Amino acid sequence: MPVDAQQATSAQEVAALVGPVTALPGPRYAGLARRVRELVLAGRLPAGTRLPAERDLAAALATSRVTVASAYRVLREDGWAHTRQGSGTVVEVPGGTSTTAGWLPRDVPGLIDLAHAAPSAAPQLEPAYQEAVRRLPAYTSGHGYAPGGLPELRAAIAERFSARGLPTDPDQVVVTSGVGDASAVVAEALLEPGDRVLIEHPSYPGALRLVESVGARLVPVPVDERRPDDLVEAAHLAARQSAPRMAVLIPDFTNPTGARLSAAGRRRLAATLWQQGVLTLVDESCTELHLDDGPLPPYAAGLPDTATVTVGGLAKPVWGGLRIGWLRADAALAARLSAVLGRRQLSVGLLDQLAATTLVQDLDAVLTWRRDQLRTQRDALLAALAARLPQWRVHPPSGGLSLWCTLPPGLSSAALAAGAASRGVLLAEGRVFGTGHAFDDHLRLPFTRPAEELRTAVDVLASLAESLGGVGRRPTAPAATVI
């Protein structure tokens, strides 16, 4: 977890973030200095953080004090740290740039943001707001609050669920400020400290942090984008062994892998978790972003309404700036979750809900446009990777928003993210999608930016991979084609 700025860090905390020093490429002192820079850029060692004493960190890393002292010297010489009288060595960013977590959104002209799987606004957004403004006067004589959501928006969402094969009444729907808000309401209401939560591994960083934030314990279950239905047996075994209170699943186009459960796989997984008394939180953020294949039955189809809570929203199909999400549950639980949400915020913004009503009613047109855009951008990114980085292994997803790249042996996603940031490309290192030190050998690349930006970003990555040839990676295996 990130360490608070302006505080000292223990040697054990820093050692856990750095990982085994013997695994760092190049001379150990240079590798250690480079790893600290990566942590600063990723926001896990914010500017102002005081590093441990050289002797203490050397002991925690099982290395020599000379190695740590030399790494601190390199950091100071390169502007990544300074020595403060009486305070030891304090990390900073050259030029004084803020180190808000490197994967958080930034509005910087010319920056290619591939840290976020967040597409630009659909063309239907502005007309929907114009319609919302036209309708707004009918509501302004009242207080402007709509606890649980505007009735017409809840009805439109319920109708959408029903049309997809999941019969839903409006009183089963609660409107929230985005998918993350919906998931947070569920976690706050239904999880207790110490509860076990089964979750795909890798998974969306927000889901991992959400489970940890309520004191629950993660039960990671591996996801293989090439064999997505392997999740069924793995989840079955994990549920038997750990008795989780809840499972958090993305059955369609998992973030970051793009894996999608088959129709048979989701039926089997839903049945096994229900039979073992595990409530499933189903994230449908990307469910309707299928690019090659058609729709599949909703995960919750055929299950009692009490077996699942389904969350979704408009951020991915429409725009991330439209903070409208929802949750679907059985009516009694929906009322309980609405009350929990009401204690935190009386209502989601009325104008946003009016615009969302129009967009949900016209969602088929929005999705047709979005799928065409994403299909073109995905194919451009795959072609660029095949041409410039043929040693990176990629399983092309049939939908969703991103590729999950397996890097050649020894190449670090953290090193790539650190180097790319200085070249105008923002990346999320692989480890933010997992627990511990997993997935530094993977990199998520969203195809949510225009094709020309994606090609430019791949050029940057190819240049970085080449420059890291003797430092950032070990000799690679023979070239593999994109799969």
Side-chain angles (χ1 to χ4, degrees), residues 99-125:
T99 57
T100 301
W103 53 272
L104 292 179
R106 301 180 190 175
D107 186 13
V108 179
L111 181 72
I112 300 176
D113 186 350
L114 296 185
H116 305 90
S120 57
Q124 293 83 357
L125 177 71

mmCIF file of all heavy atoms in Angstrom, residues 99-125:
data_model
loop_
_atom_site.group_PDB
_atom_site.id
_atom_site.type_symbol
_atom_site.label_atom_id
_atom_site.label_comp_id
_atom_site.label_asym_id
_atom_site.label_seq_id
_atom_site.Cartn_x
_atom_site.Cartn_y
_atom_site.Cartn_z
ATOM 1 N N THR A 99 3.673 14.010 -6.851
ATOM 2 C CA THR A 99 3.666 12.571 -7.095
ATOM 3 C C THR A 99 2.361 11.951 -6.644
ATOM 4 O O THR A 99 2.343 10.896 -6.057
ATOM 5 C CB THR A 99 4.827 11.892 -6.341
ATOM 6 O OG1 THR A 99 4.715 12.200 -4.963
ATOM 7 C CG2 THR A 99 6.149 12.315 -6.879
ATOM 8 N N THR A 100 1.267 12.618 -6.915
ATOM 9 C CA THR A 100 -0.002 11.937 -6.787
ATOM 10 C C THR A 100 0.094 10.658 -7.588
ATOM 11 O O THR A 100 0.662 10.646 -8.666
ATOM 12 C CB THR A 100 -1.133 12.817 -7.348
ATOM 13 O OG1 THR A 100 -1.145 14.033 -6.625
ATOM 14 C CG2 THR A 100 -2.475 12.130 -7.219
ATOM 15 N N ALA A 101 -0.453 9.571 -7.060
ATOM 16 C CA ALA A 101 -0.235 8.251 -7.641
ATOM 17 C C ALA A 101 -0.173 8.296 -9.151
ATOM 18 O O ALA A 101 -1.033 8.846 -9.816
ATOM 19 C CB ALA A 101 -1.354 7.310 -7.191
ATOM 20 N N GLY A 102 0.899 7.677 -9.702
ATOM 21 C CA GLY A 102 1.165 7.807 -11.116
ATOM 22 C C GLY A 102 0.035 7.343 -12.011
ATOM 23 O O GLY A 102 -0.055 7.740 -13.163
ATOM 24 N N TRP A 103 -0.855 6.484 -11.495
ATOM 25 C CA TRP A 103 -1.924 5.994 -12.354
ATOM 26 C C TRP A 103 -3.188 6.827 -12.239
ATOM 27 O O TRP A 103 -4.179 6.548 -12.912
ATOM 28 C CB TRP A 103 -2.230 4.530 -12.028
ATOM 29 C CG TRP A 103 -2.509 4.290 -10.586
ATOM 30 C CD1 TRP A 103 -1.602 4.003 -9.602
ATOM 31 C CD2 TRP A 103 -3.774 4.317 -9.947
ATOM 32 N NE1 TRP A 103 -2.237 3.861 -8.400
ATOM 33 C CE2 TRP A 103 -3.566 4.039 -8.574
ATOM 34 C CE3 TRP A 103 -5.078 4.550 -10.391
ATOM 35 C CZ2 TRP A 103 -4.612 3.996 -7.655
ATOM 36 C CZ3 TRP A 103 -6.113 4.502 -9.480
ATOM 37 C CH2 TRP A 103 -5.865 4.227 -8.126
ATOM 38 N N LEU A 104 -3.197 7.855 -11.386
ATOM 39 C CA LEU A 104 -4.381 8.693 -11.289
ATOM 40 C C LEU A 104 -4.485 9.598 -12.509
ATOM 41 O O LEU A 104 -3.477 9.971 -13.105
ATOM 42 C CB LEU A 104 -4.336 9.530 -10.009
ATOM 43 C CG LEU A 104 -4.465 8.749 -8.695
ATOM 44 C CD1 LEU A 104 -4.376 9.695 -7.511
ATOM 45 C CD2 LEU A 104 -5.777 7.976 -8.649
ATOM 46 N N PRO A 105 -5.715 9.974 -12.893
ATOM 47 C CA PRO A 105 -5.873 10.781 -14.112
ATOM 48 C C PRO A 105 -5.140 12.109 -14.029
ATOM 49 O O PRO A 105 -5.095 12.748 -12.981
ATOM 50 C CB PRO A 105 -7.395 10.993 -14.179
ATOM 51 C CG PRO A 105 -7.984 9.889 -13.377
ATOM 52 C CD PRO A 105 -6.996 9.613 -12.278
ATOM 53 N N ARG A 106 -4.568 12.524 -15.144
ATOM 54 C CA ARG A 106 -3.901 13.811 -15.241
ATOM 55 C C ARG A 106 -4.387 14.532 -16.494
ATOM 56 O O ARG A 106 -4.517 13.920 -17.552
ATOM 57 C CB ARG A 106 -2.378 13.643 -15.331
ATOM 58 C CG ARG A 106 -1.749 12.920 -14.152
ATOM 59 C CD ARG A 106 -0.241 12.810 -14.367
ATOM 60 N NE ARG A 106 0.374 11.940 -13.389
ATOM 61 C CZ ARG A 106 1.668 11.609 -13.420
ATOM 62 N NH1 ARG A 106 2.440 12.075 -14.371
ATOM 63 N NH2 ARG A 106 2.169 10.806 -12.504
ATOM 64 N N ASP A 107 -4.640 15.807 -16.372
ATOM 65 C CA ASP A 107 -5.059 16.612 -17.512
ATOM 66 C C ASP A 107 -3.856 17.424 -17.969
ATOM 67 O O ASP A 107 -3.675 18.575 -17.592
ATOM 68 C CB ASP A 107 -6.223 17.524 -17.108
ATOM 69 C CG ASP A 107 -6.787 18.283 -18.294
ATOM 70 O OD1 ASP A 107 -6.452 17.919 -19.433
ATOM 71 O OD2 ASP A 107 -7.557 19.237 -18.074
ATOM 72 N N VAL A 108 -3.011 16.785 -18.774
ATOM 73 C CA VAL A 108 -1.773 17.407 -19.253
ATOM 74 C C VAL A 108 -1.799 17.398 -20.771
ATOM 75 O O VAL A 108 -1.904 16.326 -21.387
ATOM 76 C CB VAL A 108 -0.533 16.651 -18.734
ATOM 77 C CG1 VAL A 108 0.734 17.301 -19.266
ATOM 78 C CG2 VAL A 108 -0.524 16.624 -17.214
ATOM 79 N N PRO A 109 -1.726 18.563 -21.414
ATOM 80 C CA PRO A 109 -1.735 18.603 -22.883
ATOM 81 C C PRO A 109 -0.611 17.750 -23.460
ATOM 82 O O PRO A 109 0.532 17.810 -23.017
ATOM 83 C CB PRO A 109 -1.524 20.090 -23.194
ATOM 84 C CG PRO A 109 -2.018 20.811 -21.969
ATOM 85 C CD PRO A 109 -1.664 19.911 -20.815
ATOM 86 N N GLY A 110 -0.955 16.946 -24.452
ATOM 87 C CA GLY A 110 0.042 16.120 -25.124
ATOM 88 C C GLY A 110 0.332 14.791 -24.456
ATOM 89 O O GLY A 110 1.008 13.943 -25.035
ATOM 90 N N LEU A 111 -0.160 14.576 -23.237
ATOM 91 C CA LEU A 111 0.074 13.317 -22.539
ATOM 92 C C LEU A 111 -0.820 12.229 -23.126
ATOM 93 O O LEU A 111 -2.017 12.427 -23.311
ATOM 94 C CB LEU A 111 -0.224 13.478 -21.050
ATOM 95 C CG LEU A 111 0.007 12.241 -20.174
ATOM 96 C CD1 LEU A 111 1.496 11.974 -20.018
ATOM 97 C CD2 LEU A 111 -0.636 12.426 -18.801
ATOM 98 N N ILE A 112 -0.232 11.084 -23.438
ATOM 99 C CA ILE A 112 -1.003 9.932 -23.892
ATOM 100 C C ILE A 112 -1.292 9.068 -22.670
ATOM 101 O O ILE A 112 -0.397 8.427 -22.125
ATOM 102 C CB ILE A 112 -0.229 9.136 -24.957
ATOM 103 C CG1 ILE A 112 0.059 10.019 -26.172
ATOM 104 C CG2 ILE A 112 -1.021 7.905 -25.376
ATOM 105 C CD1 ILE A 112 0.916 9.340 -27.237
ATOM 106 N N ASP A 113 -2.525 9.097 -22.221
ATOM 107 C CA ASP A 113 -2.895 8.407 -20.986
ATOM 108 C C ASP A 113 -3.345 6.986 -21.293
ATOM 109 O O ASP A 113 -4.465 6.752 -21.750
ATOM 110 C CB ASP A 113 -4.015 9.178 -20.270
ATOM 111 C CG ASP A 113 -4.337 8.591 -18.898
ATOM 112 O OD1 ASP A 113 -3.831 7.497 -18.585
ATOM 113 O OD2 ASP A 113 -5.106 9.227 -18.149
ATOM 114 N N LEU A 114 -2.457 6.038 -21.034
ATOM 115 C CA LEU A 114 -2.784 4.625 -21.153
ATOM 116 C C LEU A 114 -2.809 3.952 -19.787
ATOM 117 O O LEU A 114 -2.776 2.728 -19.692
ATOM 118 C CB LEU A 114 -1.785 3.917 -22.076
ATOM 119 C CG LEU A 114 -1.776 4.374 -23.535
ATOM 120 C CD1 LEU A 114 -0.829 3.509 -24.351
ATOM 121 C CD2 LEU A 114 -3.167 4.349 -24.125
ATOM 122 N N ALA A 115 -2.859 4.768 -18.746
ATOM 123 C CA ALA A 115 -3.020 4.210 -17.406
ATOM 124 C C ALA A 115 -4.478 3.936 -17.102
ATOM 125 O O ALA A 115 -4.799 3.251 -16.137
ATOM 126 C CB ALA A 115 -2.441 5.163 -16.353
ATOM 127 N N HIS A 116 -5.363 4.477 -17.926
ATOM 128 C CA HIS A 116 -6.795 4.371 -17.663
ATOM 129 C C HIS A 116 -7.516 3.838 -18.886
ATOM 130 O O HIS A 116 -7.303 4.328 -19.989
ATOM 131 C CB HIS A 116 -7.369 5.734 -17.267
ATOM 132 C CG HIS A 116 -6.650 6.329 -16.104
ATOM 133 N ND1 HIS A 116 -5.559 7.150 -16.253
ATOM 134 C CD2 HIS A 116 -6.836 6.162 -14.780
ATOM 135 C CE1 HIS A 116 -5.103 7.473 -15.061
ATOM 136 N NE2 HIS A 116 -5.855 6.887 -14.159
ATOM 137 N N ALA A 117 -8.340 2.854 -18.672
ATOM 138 C CA ALA A 117 -9.172 2.327 -19.752
ATOM 139 C C ALA A 117 -10.433 3.177 -19.806
ATOM 140 O O ALA A 117 -11.513 2.759 -19.400
ATOM 141 C CB ALA A 117 -9.500 0.861 -19.500
ATOM 142 N N ALA A 118 -10.272 4.400 -20.302
ATOM 143 C CA ALA A 118 -11.356 5.383 -20.261
ATOM 144 C C ALA A 118 -11.459 6.065 -21.617
ATOM 145 O O ALA A 118 -10.626 6.910 -21.953
ATOM 146 C CB ALA A 118 -11.100 6.407 -19.163
ATOM 147 N N PRO A 119 -12.473 5.726 -22.414
ATOM 148 C CA PRO A 119 -12.596 6.327 -23.740
ATOM 149 C C PRO A 119 -13.129 7.744 -23.696
ATOM 150 O O PRO A 119 -13.681 8.197 -22.681
ATOM 151 C CB PRO A 119 -13.581 5.393 -24.452
ATOM 152 C CG PRO A 119 -14.389 4.787 -23.357
ATOM 153 C CD PRO A 119 -13.474 4.687 -22.167
ATOM 154 N N SER A 120 -12.975 8.441 -24.805
ATOM 155 C CA SER A 120 -13.535 9.784 -24.937
ATOM 156 C C SER A 120 -15.057 9.702 -25.001
ATOM 157 O O SER A 120 -15.640 8.627 -25.167
ATOM 158 C CB SER A 120 -12.981 10.456 -26.193
ATOM 159 O OG SER A 120 -13.283 9.654 -27.329
ATOM 160 N N ALA A 121 -15.699 10.863 -24.910
ATOM 161 C CA ALA A 121 -17.156 10.906 -24.837
ATOM 162 C C ALA A 121 -17.802 10.448 -26.138
ATOM 163 O O ALA A 121 -17.342 10.760 -27.235
ATOM 164 C CB ALA A 121 -17.623 12.312 -24.490
ATOM 165 N N ALA A 122 -18.895 9.710 -26.004
ATOM 166 C CA ALA A 122 -19.698 9.326 -27.158
ATOM 167 C C ALA A 122 -20.428 10.558 -27.694
ATOM 168 O O ALA A 122 -20.758 11.478 -26.939
ATOM 169 C CB ALA A 122 -20.701 8.247 -26.765
ATOM 170 N N PRO A 123 -20.706 10.605 -28.992
ATOM 171 C CA PRO A 123 -21.359 11.788 -29.562
ATOM 172 C C PRO A 123 -22.757 12.028 -29.030
ATOM 173 O O PRO A 123 -23.292 13.139 -29.154
ATOM 174 C CB PRO A 123 -21.375 11.483 -31.067
ATOM 175 C CG PRO A 123 -21.213 10.005 -31.183
ATOM 176 C CD PRO A 123 -20.370 9.597 -30.022
ATOM 177 N N GLN A 124 -23.379 11.019 -28.428
ATOM 178 C CA GLN A 124 -24.727 11.181 -27.894
ATOM 179 C C GLN A 124 -24.752 11.910 -26.558
ATOM 180 O O GLN A 124 -25.831 12.250 -26.052
ATOM 181 C CB GLN A 124 -25.400 9.809 -27.723
ATOM 182 C CG GLN A 124 -25.686 9.074 -29.025
ATOM 183 C CD GLN A 124 -24.485 8.311 -29.563
ATOM 184 O OE1 GLN A 124 -23.385 8.354 -28.989
ATOM 185 N NE2 GLN A 124 -24.675 7.570 -30.647
ATOM 186 N N LEU A 125 -23.561 12.170 -25.972
ATOM 187 C CA LEU A 125 -23.522 12.771 -24.638
ATOM 188 C C LEU A 125 -24.093 14.187 -24.630
ATOM 189 O O LEU A 125 -24.980 14.506 -23.820
ATOM 190 C CB LEU A 125 -22.081 12.780 -24.114
ATOM 191 C CG LEU A 125 -21.890 13.450 -22.747
ATOM 192 C CD1 LEU A 125 -22.495 12.594 -21.637
ATOM 193 C CD2 LEU A 125 -20.410 13.700 -22.463
#
